[in-house]
Amino acid sequence: MTYRNGFSWKLGLAALAMSVIAGCGSSGGDGGKTDGSTTGTADKGGISLGLVASQNGDLKPWGEDSVKGAKLAIEEFNAAGGVDGKKVNLVIADSASKPEIGKSAAEKLISTDKVIGILGEVASGITAQMGQVATEKGIPLIAIGATKTTLTEGKPNMFRVCYTDAFQGPVMAKFAYDQLKLRNVALITDKKQPYSTGLSESFRTYFTKIGGKIVDEEFYETGQTQFQGQLTNLKDKKPDGLFMSGYFNETGPLARQAKEAGLDVKMLGGDGWDSSEILQTGGDAILGSFFCNHYNNKEDRPEVKDFLSKWSKKYEGSVPATTMGALAYDATALMCDALKRAKTKDAKGLQDAIEDTTGFKGVSGVITLKGKHGNPPKRALVVQLTKNGQEFAKAYEYDEATGQPK
């Protein structure tokens, strides 16, 4: 999934700052300050893992939940004894929602803080830059929510705990065709975001394969706020559905302006919609729309209920605001589990153990990485936006939309 418009947070000089360590010897298990505002260094007595998250900038909702989810997993792992009697330190760095800053943050985590593994990011564009550094230095990286299909290609050190766009595109195409009975869909794509361009293409390929028609595709750029020209062009093609593959920052205003332009059709999107902000910026126009997601707080599964109970206890009765809380928890817990299984407690041993992961029971689903080139075959949820937030609509297993076994 990367950065935004007038609804974004201001970036300050702290954008490059490294933050806290979640490990032993701190109040509440949070490793000192919990606001991500200070520069942290690893405890030499423990094993250090790094997290890069958007603690500032347009993707801050995802970054905040990523930090909380990762801290919760580290605290739980250390409370259970850590590994070989050592605590795990989580050194947190801010990407400020920018690829180049994410890359610099990864470089510092490796060169200065001596981490042996990196977690993050959510945005595919940021994660790709981090991945360059991690690959050059031989450090394993587990992406939290980066779904660009080609992200891990040729990079045996890169993994993820989320599904890919090669899966969520077909999921939404299948849902649009089978459940909503749409036949003529228009696409609107953020050409600056690898996530958006890849997801639009994935949707297009599958939708046309099963009998649908893509009547037109229009483009915009990250940070754009006015879309009247594109929407007028799409309206002339008389679509019965609109697939908006970008992030929540633009798709909210897009939905509002589409309704104002008289483009009164079913709207769909991907996991980049996952923020409560979309309800504010999209207003009534976005209600009734559907998008693909990895997890939902309202799922009736024991793993979800247990996770929410622990989250509520640690974070003052709250629940994760976005899916990234659960995915960050899963990514961190999986890396810690792999560290425990690793034959050598270094980057190479950790990478081998991550690659050997089978049947890891995460909050977001069962994760298998062995032989999967970093891409776990996972199920996906389709949720509908209502005034009360996200409501579960349908779940798709991996083989349902891909025709391939798990």
Side-chain angles (χ1 to χ4, degrees):
M1 291 183 300
T2 297
Y3 33 107
R4 310 332 27 191
N5 59 25
F7 299 99
S8 65
W9 290 264
K10 301 288 185 182
L11 299 183
L13 292 176
L16 284 168
M18 305 292 291
S19 74
V20 305
I21 309 160
C24 58
S26 63
S27 175
D30 281 339
K33 289 190 178 181
T34 59
D35 59 2
S37 63
T38 62
T39 299
T41 54
D43 176 359
K44 292 182 174 58
I47 298 173
S48 296
L49 303 178
L51 168 69
V52 179
S54 296
Q55 296 177 90
N56 288 283
D58 298 328
L59 303 186
K60 189 176 179 180
W62 293 338
E64 289 179 332
D65 272 359
S66 293
V67 169
K68 288 180 178 179
K71 284 183 176 181
L72 180 59
I74 289 289
E75 182 179 273
E76 185 178 331
F77 184 73
N78 284 337
V83 57
D84 294 343
K86 293 183 178 180
K87 301 287 187 179
V88 172
N89 305 304
L90 182 67
V91 188
I92 305 175
D94 185 7
S95 72
S97 305
K98 299 285 188 180
E100 64 274 16
I101 297 179
K103 182 178 182 180
S104 297
E107 288 172 340
K108 184 178 185 298
L109 285 173
I110 295 168
S111 63
T112 303
D113 298 301
K114 307 301 181 184
V115 303
I116 64 168
I118 293 179
L119 300 152
E121 238 260 13
V122 173
S124 294
I126 300 175
T127 308
Q129 292 293 310
M130 292 164 51
Q132 289 182 16
V133 178
T135 301
E136 290 170 2
K137 302 295 184 180
I139 300 295
L141 180 152
I142 300 180
I144 290 169
T147 56
K148 183 184 178 185
T149 303
T150 58
L151 195 65
T152 62
E153 284 185 4
K155 296 180 175 63
N157 65 306
M158 288 189 69
F159 310 87
R160 57 183 128 207
V161 293
C162 56
Y163 51 62
T164 72
D165 293 331
F167 180 50
Q168 74 165 325
V171 162
M172 292 312 297
K174 187 173 178 63
F175 182 81
Y177 193 91
D178 292 347
Q179 303 298 315
L180 302 181
K181 308 302 180 185
L182 303 182
R183 295 296 182 266
N184 299 285
V185 173
L187 306 177
I188 187 160
T189 304
D190 184 345
K191 64 183 180 181
K192 286 291 188 180
Q193 296 299 336
Y195 160 75
S196 183
T197 57
L199 182 54
S200 284
E201 185 57 34
S202 177
F203 180 94
R204 175 200 297 275
T205 300
Y206 197 86
F207 192 66
T208 55
K209 176 183 176 181
I210 59 179
K213 181 181 179 182
I214 302 299
V215 298
D216 196 11
E217 181 174 14
E218 287 286 332
F219 299 90
Y220 63 91
E221 295 187 4
T222 300
Q224 194 169 329
T225 59
Q226 300 300 317
F227 310 95
Q228 287 87 351
Q230 295 96 321
L231 293 169
T232 298
N233 292 339
L234 293 179
K235 183 184 176 183
D236 289 343
K237 301 298 170 47
K238 295 180 171 53
D240 54 14
L242 180 61
F243 186 72
M244 303 186 291
S245 62
Y247 290 120
F248 62 87
N249 311 77
E250 285 79 30
T251 50
L254 260 170
R256 190 188 295 272
Q257 291 175 36
K259 286 293 176 70
E260 291 171 352
L263 193 58
D264 191 16
V265 298
K266 278 294 181 186
M267 300 179 194
L268 306 99
D271 61 335
W273 286 28
D274 182 34
S275 170
S276 60
E277 279 195 31
I278 201 170
L279 293 172
Q280 301 164 24
T281 60
D284 289 343
I286 200 76
L287 299 181
S289 300
F290 296 89
F291 71 94
C292 196
N293 215 343
H294 308 261
Y295 157 94
N296 188 276
N297 288 331
K298 298 174 184 177
E299 285 187 83
D300 188 23
R301 292 189 288 121
E303 297 89 347
V304 173
K305 292 178 180 179
D306 181 57
F307 168 67
L308 291 178
S309 175
K310 290 184 289 189
W311 185 286
S312 177
K313 183 177 180 180
K314 182 171 176 60
Y315 298 117
E316 301 177 344
S318 67
V319 296
T322 71
T323 293
M324 299 312 147
L327 287 179
Y329 176 86
D330 282 352
T332 309
L334 191 153
M335 186 172 278
C336 286
D337 179 74
L339 182 60
K340 204 164 188 176
R341 292 184 279 112
K343 293 179 180 178
T344 57
K345 310 308 178 187
D346 54 15
K348 181 61 169 65
L350 179 57
Q351 178 176 317
D352 290 345
I354 295 171
E355 165 61 33
D356 198 45
T357 299
T358 58
F360 180 83
K361 293 183 178 179
V363 174
S364 63
V366 178
I367 301 168
T368 291
L369 292 169
K370 188 172 185 178
K372 303 300 180 183
H373 306 289
N375 306 315
K378 294 185 71 181
R379 69 180 193 135
L381 306 180
V382 177
V383 296
Q384 184 174 30
L385 285 172
T386 72
K387 289 184 178 180
N388 297 320
Q390 299 175 24
E391 298 291 340
F392 172 81
K394 187 172 176 58
Y396 286 89
E397 296 299 328
Y398 183 76
D399 53 358
E400 286 184 75
T402 65
Q404 301 174 9
K406 288 186 178 181

